[in-house]
Amino acid sequence: MDANGTLTIAILVLLVLCSAFFSSAETAYTALNQVRLKNMAASGNKRAEKVLSLAENYDKLISSILIGNNIVNILASALATVFFVQMLGSSGVTVSTIVMTIAVLLFGEVTPKTIARILSDRLVFIFYPVLNFIVHLLTPLNFLMGQWQKLIGKLVRRGDGPSVTEEELITMVEEAESDGEIDEHESELIRSAIEFNDITVEDILTPRVEITAVHIHDSTKDIAAKFAESGYSRLPVYEDNMDDIVGILHEKDFYRNRSHLSVAQMMRKPICVLPSTRLSDMLKLLQRSKSHMAVVVDEYGGVTGIVTLEDILEELVGEIWDEHDEVVEEFQKLPDGSWRVECSAGLDDFLELFQLDKEYDSVTVNGWVLEEIGAFPQPGDTFECENLHVTIERVDKRRVEQIRVEVNSKQLEEQ
């Protein structure tokens, strides 16, 4: 092989290396964690600021990379064809195609992109000076490419939907958790915040039948006993009946003023909301009014229940127990493998535990039982739902309090 052949091979190797550079640069800047880079820039890292500036101008950057990559790949293919034709004659075209396909695919695409995906956070800093120079060098071509992109954008209109959906955000959080970037507690907190606006007051309220309230004309002795017995620091005050809640009595106001003020004078005006009010709006309302409790009323003006600031916060951070709360295990696994379930438990938790995909109108397990049976059951009544065998264990006058659930594992496997 003469000196020209050696020089040609050296140029081909250089062009393949250039192809590897452009391919790895494309992957590195595509896989770049911009949030981490923004934090580095915010902390005063000047190199991070420069890299972030280049990464944020992504259209111009990717156009420059693609132009450069195509130029070196086309040059390499053309030069290789000439070289192999001179050496092998007419069969050189076939040999050139095979050799360059393998070389470019293996060393110019797959290998550099694999490395860049793993080391993206490091390579973006190494590649920055060269890429910044190329972007400025190809400014005229980038301008033409930008105009072409605008034209294509006008011809192919994007849908009006959000760029990132709630489901996609949750998937990102799950991937971050599986990669070890955040722990399980942080992941749960972020998911709760994302789903927070989808939850309504109806999903978390304390129902009317469970409200502890006082009559406006109750004696101070009876009211003190209610505060002591319930452990609550606030009690609703009603006049004629529970549909006529006229105020909220604070424990500290009661003990401070009970000797010289009536209940009507001590209580505060209640905030009333609809069951369909979103928790995000409810939280803002309580913050503005400096209140911790609101009365939930239906469309007919009847009281559905009450909701507290603690109820709302629990949707974000999980259950909050204080010294007065009675810890109740809503889902208790029994030695025989069945489950004892308190029917005040949330239906979403129940469906998730037993992997049921159906949708129901009810919010609690009690509502689900009534919805499934279609009538008010008695202790000992049973029914089937998918792979579950449910037995009613305890009922009150108006609701089911406890059930036992047996899972048919064989049926679940067949599904």
Side-chain angles (χ1 to χ4, degrees):
M1 185 183 296
D2 58 12
N4 286 336
T6 304
L7 179 62
T8 300
I9 292 175
I11 294 173
L12 284 173
V13 171
L14 179 63
L15 290 172
V16 171
L17 289 176
C18 289
S19 176
F21 166 77
F22 285 116
S23 297
S24 57
E26 178 187 355
T27 300
Y29 274 84
T30 301
L32 173 65
N33 188 329
Q34 287 203 21
V35 175
R36 186 179 301 161
L37 200 63
K38 286 178 181 178
N39 289 334
M40 293 172 63
S43 62
N45 189 321
K46 298 298 181 183
R47 292 182 66 204
E49 287 182 15
K50 293 178 180 178
V51 173
L52 183 62
S53 175
L54 185 63
E56 287 180 337
N57 199 349
Y58 186 76
D59 287 344
K60 186 181 288 188
L61 173 64
I62 203 69
S63 294
S64 301
I65 290 174
L66 291 176
I67 290 170
N69 202 18
N70 278 282
I71 289 174
V72 297
N73 284 341
I74 292 170
L75 279 176
S77 298
L79 186 60
T81 301
V82 173
F83 174 72
F84 283 106
V85 166
Q86 288 177 347
M87 287 187 62
L88 305 173
S90 59
S91 60
V93 176
T94 303
V95 174
S96 171
T97 302
I98 295 172
V99 170
M100 290 311 297
T101 299
I102 295 173
V104 171
L105 189 62
L106 189 60
F107 301 108
E109 293 290 336
V110 176
T111 302
K113 285 188 174 183
T114 302
I115 295 171
R117 183 171 52 82
I118 299 171
L119 304 176
S120 59
D121 289 345
R122 207 179 307 170
L123 292 178
V124 290
F125 289 96
I126 299 173
F127 291 160
Y128 170 76
V130 178
L131 284 178
N132 189 49
F133 171 75
I134 293 173
V135 168
H136 284 87
L137 181 66
L138 298 178
T139 297
L141 285 175
N142 282 328
F143 173 77
L144 294 175
M145 291 293 291
Q147 298 305 308
W148 176 253
Q149 287 175 343
K150 289 180 181 178
L151 177 61
I152 296 299
K154 290 179 180 178
L155 295 175
V156 183
R157 293 190 176 276
R158 186 177 179 175
D160 296 331
S163 56
V164 180
T165 65
E166 185 176 297
E167 289 77 13
E168 290 169 340
L169 280 174
I170 293 175
T171 301
M172 291 178 193
V173 173
E174 291 173 348
E175 289 179 352
E177 182 185 356
S178 63
D179 292 342
E181 295 179 9
I182 58 176
D183 59 33
E184 184 180 352
H185 175 70
E186 291 171 329
S187 172
E188 188 64 35
L189 191 61
I190 295 170
R191 275 199 294 265
S192 297
I194 293 172
E195 297 169 348
F196 186 67
N197 201 47
D198 294 334
I199 305 171
T200 62
V201 167
E202 184 180 19
D203 297 324
I204 66 164
L205 60 78
T206 300
R208 170 178 169 153
V209 293
E210 294 181 9
I211 295 176
T212 301
V214 297
H215 192 274
I216 195 169
H217 297 306
D218 278 351
S219 66
T220 54
K221 182 180 178 180
D222 290 339
I223 296 175
K226 280 280 181 69
F227 274 119
E229 182 184 343
S230 66
Y232 298 139
S233 58
R234 297 169 183 82
L235 293 175
V237 180
Y238 65 94
E239 191 163 1
D240 295 331
N241 52 53
M242 283 297 294
D243 281 325
D244 188 25
I245 293 180
V246 292
I248 305 295
L249 181 61
H250 291 231
E251 186 178 26
K252 63 179 182 179
D253 293 338
F254 171 72
Y255 284 111
R256 183 188 303 153
N257 304 306
R258 59 178 173 171
S259 61
H260 59 279
L261 292 179
S262 66
V263 173
Q265 292 171 311
M266 288 185 285
M267 69 184 186
R268 304 185 187 186
K269 185 178 180 182
I271 297 172
C272 295
V273 296
L274 294 172
S276 58
T277 305
R278 294 188 182 276
L279 288 200
S280 55
D281 297 329
M282 185 73 248
L283 181 59
K284 292 174 185 175
L285 178 62
L286 292 178
Q287 288 174 321
R288 282 198 307 267
S289 61
K290 297 181 176 58
S291 301
H292 285 247
M293 180 185 290
V295 179
V296 185
V297 297
D298 59 26
E299 58 184 306
Y300 304 107
V303 172
T304 304
I306 58 171
V307 64
T308 65
L309 184 60
E310 182 179 312
D311 295 330
I312 298 173
L313 294 179
E314 284 180 339
E315 290 301 313
L316 284 173
V317 301
E319 203 69 38
I320 301 172
W321 302 99
D322 61 34
E323 61 274 16
H324 300 295
D325 286 339
E326 180 184 352
V327 180
V328 177
E329 195 172 357
E330 294 179 329
F331 302 96
Q332 181 183 3
K333 192 164 188 179
L334 302 177
D336 63 358
S338 62
W339 291 80
R340 178 165 287 131
V341 179
E342 296 296 325
C343 293
S344 58
L347 183 57
D348 288 341
D349 296 332
F350 179 87
L351 297 177
E352 183 178 352
L353 176 63
F354 294 107
Q355 300 177 14
L356 299 180
D357 294 330
K358 283 186 178 181
E359 291 188 3
Y360 296 92
D361 296 328
S362 303
V363 175
T364 64
V365 176
N366 169 58
W368 170 76
V369 171
L370 299 178
E371 201 172 333
E372 282 290 320
I373 293 181
F376 195 83
Q378 298 299 320
D381 288 352
T382 63
F383 67 92
E384 306 284 336
C385 179
E386 294 191 16
N387 63 309
L388 304 181
H389 177 76
V390 182
T391 304
I392 312 300
E393 288 198 332
R394 192 173 72 238
V395 299
D396 193 8
K397 293 179 180 179
R398 301 191 184 106
R399 58 180 177 155
V400 182
E401 291 188 333
Q402 191 178 83
I403 59 174
R404 185 161 55 87
V405 180
E406 298 172 76
V407 182
N408 186 335
S409 56
K410 184 177 180 181
Q411 185 178 341
L412 184 61
E413 289 173 2
E414 291 175 354
Q415 291 176 350

